[in-house]
Amino acid sequence: SSGINAEYGEDEDEALLSDPHLLNEILPNEINSIPYQLLRDLSILMDPLSTAGSDFTSLASKIGFCAAYIRYLKALNIKTNSPFQEVLRVWADSAPDATVGDLVYLLAEIKRYDA
């Protein structure tokens, strides 16, 4: 299987993605510990605005960012600043206990299984 872990099948992946506590047991690292290469790859997926609404703005909303800040993020020059990385930076600063498991859970909530 190409899911989160080769030990899990698709049904197990769905159950795993819907359980934030289990995700935090498996992925307990802090948000700011995401390696640069992975962060860049996630930004490539999450930075472009999506007509389906499953982009960095949806993630920011799920985290609890206000509408004014999300508008600010949309105005960032994507060539020099990654809105997705800014979301993660602010989230990590404001919630130091946020984990990679939390991020995976929220990405599943906005149906970004590709991220």
Side-chain angles (χ1 to χ4, degrees):
S1 171
S2 63
I4 290 177
N5 186 325
E7 295 176 27
Y8 295 102
E10 285 185 33
D11 291 340
E12 289 87 357
D13 280 354
E14 285 182 32
L16 181 62
L17 290 172
S18 66
D19 186 343
H21 301 294
L22 185 55
L23 280 169
N24 280 323
E25 286 180 26
I26 296 170
L27 302 166
N29 297 353
E30 296 173 350
I31 291 293
N32 59 10
S33 71
I34 297 173
Y36 173 76
Q37 178 72 34
L38 179 56
L39 190 59
R40 191 189 73 191
D41 291 348
L42 287 170
S43 297
I44 289 169
L45 292 172
M46 296 299 296
D47 280 345
L49 291 175
S50 165
T51 56
S54 56
D55 51 41
F56 71 89
T57 61
S58 299
L59 179 65
S61 180
K62 282 277 185 192
I63 292 169
F65 288 19
C66 70
Y69 195 74
I70 293 172
R71 280 193 305 275
Y72 161 77
L73 291 170
K74 288 166 103 175
L76 287 176
N77 180 345
I78 201 167
K79 291 181 182 179
T80 56
N81 299 293
S82 164
F84 174 74
Q85 290 181 33
E86 179 68 5
V87 167
L88 294 188
R89 186 190 66 72
V90 172
W91 187 25
D93 287 348
S94 64
D97 58 338
T99 67
V100 173
D102 294 327
L103 174 61
V104 170
Y105 175 76
L106 291 176
L107 289 171
E109 285 278 296
I110 63 170
K111 311 230 181 304
R112 284 310 296 259
Y113 304 111
D114 59 332

